[in-house]
Amino acid sequence: MHAIAAEPRFTITALIAPPEPLVDRGDRLDFIPITGGEVRGDLTGEVVPGGGDWCCTRSDGVVAVEARYLVRTASGGLVDVHNTGVLRPAEDGAAPYFLTTPRFRTVDPALHWLTATVFVGQAHVEGDRVVIEVAELVVRA
């Protein structure tokens, strides 16, 4: 049996505006505008303003997130980011964090590796930003 490992690849820091409530009937749905940011590591670039994060706070306290935004790389390539995940309520006073599964699309041949790789992310909020540590899943013998 082979083991799955996570290798760190890059960090996305997305700047965010205050949430805008959309629905409040049992589960609450908020829209959080993404206003910019940066990407550093094996992928380098800027988060394009105009995306957003749709956060559904469920009655059990779990927050389901779905973010959609663009990254313009340092070389000019454009990457579509679709990031889904969950934030579980903090336990024992620990800071809450999100677990995510980012997916990427691009027509840039130099960035094709993003579309042929499985990634996971661990994210947390720092004031007006969300920081996502993105790792590639690899199989080891």
Side-chain angles (χ1 to χ4, degrees):
M1 185 74 164
H2 298 291
I4 297 174
E7 291 187 0
R9 295 300 298 260
F10 50 90
T11 301
I12 301 170
T13 302
L15 302 176
I16 56 174
E20 299 279 349
L22 297 175
V23 177
D24 194 2
R25 291 184 301 234
D27 292 347
R28 190 180 88 222
L29 180 64
D30 292 312
F31 174 72
I32 301 172
I34 295 175
T35 61
E38 65 180 19
V39 182
R40 298 293 175 253
D42 292 333
L43 179 67
T44 301
E46 302 299 322
V47 175
V48 177
D53 194 346
W54 288 259
C55 295
C56 181
T57 304
R58 302 183 331 205
S59 58
D60 63 359
V62 172
V63 179
V65 298
E66 182 172 357
R68 199 74 191 250
Y69 52 96
L70 298 173
V71 169
R72 174 80 61 194
T73 67
S75 62
L78 192 61
V79 179
D80 173 47
V81 182
H82 184 206
N83 201 358
T84 60
V86 295
L87 175 131
R88 296 180 188 230
E91 297 178 12
D92 300 328
Y97 62 90
F98 297 82
L99 295 175
T100 68
T101 52
R103 296 182 65 199
F104 305 96
R105 296 188 299 185
T106 183
V107 296
D108 187 332
L111 300 172
H112 178 74
W113 64 275
L114 290 168
T115 69
T117 306
V118 176
F119 294 97
V120 293
Q122 181 176 333
H124 64 277
V125 177
E126 293 180 358
D128 67 346
R129 63 197 68 225
V130 176
V131 179
I132 309 163
E133 301 294 336
V134 178
E136 175 183 358
L137 290 184
V138 295
V139 177
R140 300 199 192 282

